[in-house]
Amino acid sequence: MGLLDSTEEHPESKLRRYLITALAFIVLLAGTLWYLLRYHTEKVTVHHFMTALVAGDMQRAYQIWQPSPSYTMKDFLDDWGPTGFYGPVKSYTVERPEHIKDGPAAAVTVDVSPYETYPRDDPAKEVRTKKVVLWVQFKDQSISFPPE
């Protein structure tokens, strides 16, 4: 066989390249979905709670809260009722939940407003908007205020 005589060469298979690319894409997609949905259940719990408050269904909101025996309905109404500290709640926005380091809950910040439509870019109405941090327990989805 001479220098210019060569055997037939076959190009490398592209299957390995496609498999690695597909695997990397799947891992990236799974990581992104996990990151976006990791506190989905806790956000849904807070949305149910706040929707019950906006509708004025205090009994349902109290059930969603799942209070300890020391937090009575009267205490709940003093906090969330129409004349309570955070009330009346007519609209709200839920911010991104945060994980409590080494904790059993997620901290969900909610902006509550006494106006039917949430005031955006209206400084006069935004003054009456209150920020409240709610803890949603991972194990039973009960809601509470964070410990001080």
Side-chain angles (χ1 to χ4, degrees):
M1 184 183 250
L3 185 59
L4 297 177
D5 295 334
S6 66
T7 60
E8 187 177 328
E9 291 186 21
H10 296 286
E12 250 183 66
S13 173
K14 294 183 182 181
L15 180 63
R16 184 182 319 157
R17 184 181 322 162
Y18 291 146
L19 285 176
I20 291 172
T21 303
L23 183 63
F25 177 74
I26 290 170
V27 168
L28 185 64
L29 182 65
T32 302
L33 284 175
W34 172 83
Y35 181 77
L36 293 174
L37 298 175
R38 64 185 167 161
Y39 299 120
H40 178 72
T41 308
E42 289 75 19
K43 281 181 74 171
V44 167
T45 300
V46 170
H47 277 293
H48 285 270
F49 172 70
M50 296 306 295
T51 302
L53 287 177
V54 168
D57 190 355
M58 294 299 165
Q59 189 62 38
R60 178 75 182 128
Y62 187 67
Q63 289 172 346
I64 294 169
W65 187 274
Q66 298 180 27
S68 65
S70 63
Y71 191 66
T72 65
M73 182 66 160
K74 181 189 176 315
D75 297 330
F76 182 78
L77 291 174
D78 288 343
D79 289 334
W80 295 103
T83 58
F85 183 76
Y86 297 109
V89 178
K90 299 288 183 186
S91 61
Y92 66 94
T93 60
V94 177
E95 295 179 9
R96 198 175 129 238
E98 297 177 18
H99 182 72
I100 308 303
K101 185 176 180 192
D102 298 328
V108 181
T109 304
V110 181
D111 296 330
V112 294
S113 172
Y115 299 103
E116 293 290 329
T117 57
Y118 189 80
R120 298 195 197 296
D121 302 324
D122 187 353
K125 290 183 176 181
E126 282 183 357
V127 171
R128 297 200 50 208
T129 299
K130 296 179 182 174
K131 273 194 186 304
V132 60
V133 178
L134 302 175
W135 272 27
V136 182
Q137 300 293 323
F138 293 135
K139 65 178 179 176
D140 61 359
Q141 296 299 300
S142 63
I143 303 173
S144 65
F145 293 113
E148 299 199 16

